[in-house]
Amino acid sequence: MYFYASKITRQMGKIIAIANQKGGVGKTTTSVNLAASLGVLEKKVLLIDADPQANASSGLGIDVDSVEIGTYQILEHSHAPREAIIQCSAPNVDVIPAHIDLVAIEIELVDKENREYMFKKALESVKDDYDYIIIDCAPSLGLLTVNALTAADSVIIPIQCEYFALEGLGKLLNTIKSIQKIHNPDLDIEGLLLTMFDSRLRLSNQVVEEVQKHFNDMVFTTIIQRNVKLSEAPSFGESIINYDATSKGAVNYLDLAQEIIKKNSK
Ligand SMILES: Nc1ncnc2c1ncn2[C@@H]1O[C@H](COP(=O)(O)OP(=O)(O)OP(=O)(O)O)[C@@H](O)[C@H]1O
Ligand SMILES: [Mg+2]
């Protein structure tokens, strides 16, 4: 009886998509290092690489050329997520890797019924096994990203503290609104995340001010600073926590993980 009751009250895992159709804003860096930080804080994490570039997979040391079962196979429902899961160097983090073949999925799915729900359906079988499921999206608003946003409980939007930081943000927010309306009314914005902040640059400071003024408490308190260690770590196939736990980058991503845990335990 007690066993039954505890099963009912167990909190389901939270699916967080990391999305922005703008390229190079820090989606993958955030996915990998947020996943690793949550893992270090003893949360059980599944990181899903939903970008054919497969940067999140290779950044965690996975040989992407040898991936046979990955995100593609999960989305076409030919394999269950559990068959695709690989363990990586980051403690408490499982990965569903991508392979370049994922580019074809948009064409494959286009005339399928319920094509926007392929991720959501596939993840039902693993959702309860994790505290957090992080999806690293590709820089596009195509069917792959729509699938991720339809499956997600919330979305993190990385914004680079650079020229044209807000370019395309309106379009992304409109896409999120239409997904909330049509496919996923429960989709929340977990937060806007300022990335690659350089305190020495006036522009960086201006972007922070502007974004905080416009979006107030939608913006994470944690700001990710520009830190060369964050760009070096992927070439060693390691998260920043493994690569240099004392770096600014590691401290920033651990702070972000803590902010998210706190927000979700209220
Ligand atoms: N805080 C940071 N400090 C220094 N370099 C960073 C930081 N964040 C990201 N980078 C570097 O900037 C580049 C782009 O980052 P990343 O790959 O995370 O962006 P992305 O949004 O995933 O890109 P894409 O749109 O191509 O998927 C990478 O070379 C990465 O190492
Ligand atoms: Mg990326």
Side-chain angles (χ1 to χ4, degrees):
M1 193 59 198
Y2 280 120
F3 172 69
Y4 190 42
S6 74
K7 263 206 110 160
I8 288 173
T9 52
R10 193 192 181 294
Q11 212 186 347
M12 286 215 297
K14 181 162 199 182
I15 305 180
I16 304 179
I18 316 285
N20 189 338
Q21 79 277 20
K22 202 162 145 62
V25 296
K27 293 181 287 298
T28 302
T29 305
T30 298
S31 301
V32 166
N33 295 305
L34 173 61
S37 300
L38 288 166
V40 165
L41 296 171
E42 306 211 316
K43 300 294 174 189
K44 209 163 174 336
V45 185
L46 174 62
L47 172 64
I48 303 177
D49 193 342
D51 182 354
Q53 296 180 97
N55 295 148
S57 310
S58 57
L60 282 170
I62 293 163
D63 172 14
V64 293
D65 291 332
S66 67
V67 168
E68 280 175 13
I69 307 173
T71 305
Y72 181 99
Q73 287 71 20
I74 303 313
L75 281 165
E76 63 162 14
H77 293 175
S78 67
H79 288 79
R82 278 202 190 92
E83 297 175 75
I85 287 167
I86 303 181
Q87 279 168 346
C88 69
S89 55
N92 292 325
V93 181
D94 286 347
V95 181
I96 294 185
H99 180 273
I100 184 68
D101 66 4
L102 188 58
V103 279
I105 200 74
E106 307 238 342
I107 297 159
E108 292 265 316
L109 293 184
V110 83
D111 50 10
K112 281 232 163 91
E113 219 181 301
N114 294 325
R115 58 186 170 271
E116 296 89 359
Y117 296 84
M118 305 305 274
F119 239 145
K120 188 180 172 72
K121 183 113 197 62
L123 294 182
E124 276 167 11
S125 67
V126 285
K127 205 175 171 191
D128 289 353
D129 297 349
Y130 295 94
D131 297 306
Y132 291 94
I133 298 180
I134 308 284
I135 309 178
D136 182 27
C137 293
S140 105
L141 290 175
L143 199 44
L144 200 45
T145 300
V146 169
N147 253 279
L149 294 173
T150 300
D153 296 300
S154 69
V155 54
I156 292 177
I157 305 171
I159 294 173
Q160 186 182 355
C161 300
E162 255 297 345
Y163 290 108
F164 307 121
L166 299 179
E167 187 194 52
L169 189 60
K171 194 167 178 211
L172 176 58
L173 293 174
N174 281 338
T175 302
I176 291 171
K177 259 187 221 148
S178 72
I179 288 173
Q180 285 167 330
K181 208 159 149 194
I182 306 166
H183 304 301
N184 185 6
D186 298 329
L187 177 64
D188 261 343
I189 296 184
E190 191 75 35
L192 274 55
L193 177 68
L194 292 156
T195 64
M196 296 183 238
F197 173 72
D198 186 339
S199 61
R200 293 165 304 178
L201 301 178
R202 189 142 54 103
L203 180 69
S204 239
N205 287 293
Q206 282 168 347
V207 170
V208 170
E209 245 174 64
E210 195 181 342
V211 172
Q212 286 174 338
K213 197 170 97 198
H214 273 90
F215 295 99
N216 305 309
D217 53 4
M218 279 171 76
V219 188
F220 284 110
T221 309
T222 306
I223 295 176
I224 309 298
Q225 298 171 67
R226 187 170 279 286
N227 176 219
V228 71
K229 302 271 174 155
L230 282 168
S231 56
E232 289 168 4
S235 57
F236 294 91
E238 286 182 353
S239 79
I240 192 67
I241 314 289
N242 279 10
Y243 181 63
D244 186 348
T246 61
S247 63
K248 247 184 337 190
V251 172
N252 288 165
Y253 277 108
L254 280 164
D255 283 348
L256 177 66
Q258 253 152 357
E259 190 176 343
I260 289 172
I261 291 170
K262 199 167 160 203
K263 201 168 161 185
N264 285 284
S265 58
K266 275 180 195 155

